[in-house]
């Protein structure tokens, strides 16, 4: 029996962990804007790119939800659909 790399358990586990790390890192980066001093260059940089951080986090969360192993298929599909809806929400214009 030959296993391709795409369905190998270790490969999927690494994708799962990578999605979690991407989501957590981007959340911390975006949330740090609330705790940085207003006149710092880093604060300005984070505030200007907060949508980008959330988009990267949503992509990481989608990767996590794609590779997660849940025995109840309906629950997994529901979580994946909510993740996709959150990602699609980033594409809608928010400035009225």
């Amino acid at each position: 029996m030959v296993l391709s790399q795409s369905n190998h358990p270790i490969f999927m586990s690494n994708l799962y962990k990578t999605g979690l790390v991407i989501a957590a890192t981007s959340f911390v980066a975006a949330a740090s804007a609330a705790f940085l001093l207003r006149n710092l260059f880093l604060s300005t940089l984070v505030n200007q790119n907060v949508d980008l951080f959330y988009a990267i986090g949503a992509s990481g969360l989608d990767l996590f939800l794609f590779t997660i192993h849940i025995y109840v298929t309906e629950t997994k599909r529901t979580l994946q659909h909510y993740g996709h809806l959150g990602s699609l929400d980033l594409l809608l214009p928010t400035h009225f």
Side-chain angles (χ1 to χ4, degrees), residues 14-83:
N14 287 339
L15 278 179
Y16 171 83
K17 293 173 188 174
T18 302
L20 281 177
V21 169
I22 291 170
T25 303
S26 64
F27 174 76
V28 168
S32 69
F35 300 106
L36 294 172
L37 296 174
R38 295 274 180 215
N39 56 358
L40 291 177
F41 171 73
L42 186 60
S43 175
T44 306
L45 183 69
V46 170
N47 283 330
Q48 289 175 349
N49 296 309
V50 73
D51 289 337
L52 177 66
F53 287 125
Y54 284 130
I56 292 170
S59 299
L61 190 60
D62 279 343
L63 178 63
F64 161 73
L65 289 173
F66 179 73
T67 57
I68 194 170
H69 181 72
I70 298 176
Y71 291 107
V72 182
T73 305
E74 294 83 16
T75 303
K76 178 180 179 178
R77 297 289 179 240
T78 302
L79 288 171
Q80 288 174 341
H81 289 306
Y82 284 140

